[in-house]
Amino acid sequence: MLRKFVLFSLWAGILLGIGTRHADARAAVPDSSLVIKKTTDFKIDGAGSAANWATAKAFDITVQKGPNQPSPGKQFPTKVKMLYSEKGIYFLFDCTDKKLTATIMEDFGLLFKEDVVEVFLWPDTSLPIYLEYELSPLDYELPIIIANIKGRTEGWKAWHYNDRNRVQHATSAQGGQQKSMASVEGWKAEFFIPYTLMSPMVTGAPKSGTKWRGNFYRIDYDSETAYYSWQKTSGSFHEFNKFGTLIFE
């Protein structure tokens, strides 16, 4: 009887340990879906001060290995919020940082070569075409549509980019000046992407329950380059089959 009890206890301990490890592993994997709450339209200021943001739950994006990078760079806390309205989608990035590594002073520049946040939206998954939007700490933007054909990508600018389809955007710095190479404690990026920018992929506001695919990124160029993401890729941000799912409430 004692031997049976000892064997039972041993197996119970083993199974419990396996179950605990599996539970820990599940907890370590970020959720691959987000529920996006609906809001009325509001004015952005680059600091996320609108009361509407109180209804949105923040989520983390964390470091991953970048292209040809042997190990991830240093991680600073980085949080993102999303909301959607009848006219478009709102985003708020809150980036802890030490220095604004940003010198580019023009829209549609190579912003990804300096500090930047990025949003990739893939509304129609029947087509390998999606929106990429980038914003620098100095409030310069890069909005492009990406065609990704068998891993070969090309970015296309909006033909007519005006008040009808223009992104509203603003940024701010915390703990320092909002200028090139300034020492700071962090920076925020707030922007509103109208559905009209994604025409004809998107023809209007998503209905409740609509699902898109997407991902969220940050690149930080302090002493070492750090690549951040919501859903991890093997290096390239353009691995759209690894995007998470966005569910419109």
Side-chain angles (χ1 to χ4, degrees), residues 197-212:
L197 182 64
M198 294 179 278
S199 177
M201 293 185 296
V202 177
T203 57
K207 296 180 180 178
S208 177
T210 297
K211 295 180 181 180
W212 291 5

Side-chain angles (χ1 to χ4, degrees), residues 53-245:
W53 285 118
T55 65
K57 184 179 179 180
F59 59 93
D60 297 315
I61 61 173
T62 54
V63 292
Q64 67 161 65
K65 288 193 291 186
N68 304 313
Q69 193 176 41
S71 60
K74 181 180 178 180
Q75 177 170 297
F76 291 122
T78 307
K79 294 186 176 296
V80 184
K81 286 185 175 183
M82 276 185 72
L83 289 169
Y84 83 105
S85 74
E86 283 295 317
K87 295 182 179 180
I89 308 178
Y90 293 84
F91 299 88
L92 177 63
F93 282 73
D94 188 350
C95 307
T96 301
D97 207 349
K98 295 296 184 184
K99 181 174 65 175
L100 298 183
T101 307
T103 62
I104 297 172
M105 303 290 185
E106 62 176 350
D107 293 326
F108 292 97
L110 301 179
L111 302 183
F112 53 87
K113 291 184 175 293
E114 300 183 341
D115 286 359
V116 74
V117 295
E118 304 183 8
V119 166
F120 284 52
L121 298 175
W122 186 22
D124 184 354
T125 56
S126 68
L127 300 169
I129 300 172
Y130 47 88
L131 173 74
E132 176 180 350
Y133 185 78
E134 302 182 13
L135 192 63
S136 80
L138 303 182
D139 200 29
Y140 291 100
E141 66 171 353
L142 174 61
I144 49 177
I145 296 293
I146 299 291
N148 190 331
I149 310 299
K150 297 181 180 179
R152 300 189 305 274
T153 62
E154 187 62 66
W156 297 82
K157 298 179 183 178
W159 183 19
H160 298 292
Y161 193 47
N162 49 41
D163 290 342
R164 182 186 65 85
N165 60 356
R166 192 184 308 278
V167 176
Q168 300 172 28
H169 56 90
T171 59
S172 63
Q174 291 74 51
Q177 293 182 299
Q178 188 182 2
K179 66 178 186 179
S180 180
M181 310 309 288
S183 295
V184 296
E185 295 175 357
W187 63 283
K188 293 182 180 181
E190 186 178 15
F191 48 98
F192 170 77
I193 298 177
Y195 302 124
T196 49
L197 182 64
M198 294 179 278
S199 177
M201 293 185 296
V202 177
T203 57
K207 296 180 180 178
S208 177
T210 297
K211 295 180 181 180
W212 291 5
R213 300 286 298 280
N215 216 345
F216 310 92
Y217 303 107
R218 173 190 177 188
I219 310 178
D220 184 62
Y221 291 87
D222 277 3
S223 57
E224 56 181 337
T225 306
Y227 297 85
Y228 296 69
S229 61
W230 172 48
Q231 298 300 312
K232 302 308 171 196
T233 73
S234 61
S236 170
F237 287 175
H238 290 276
E239 295 173 11
F240 59 90
N241 287 320
K242 295 182 180 179
F243 289 179
T245 301

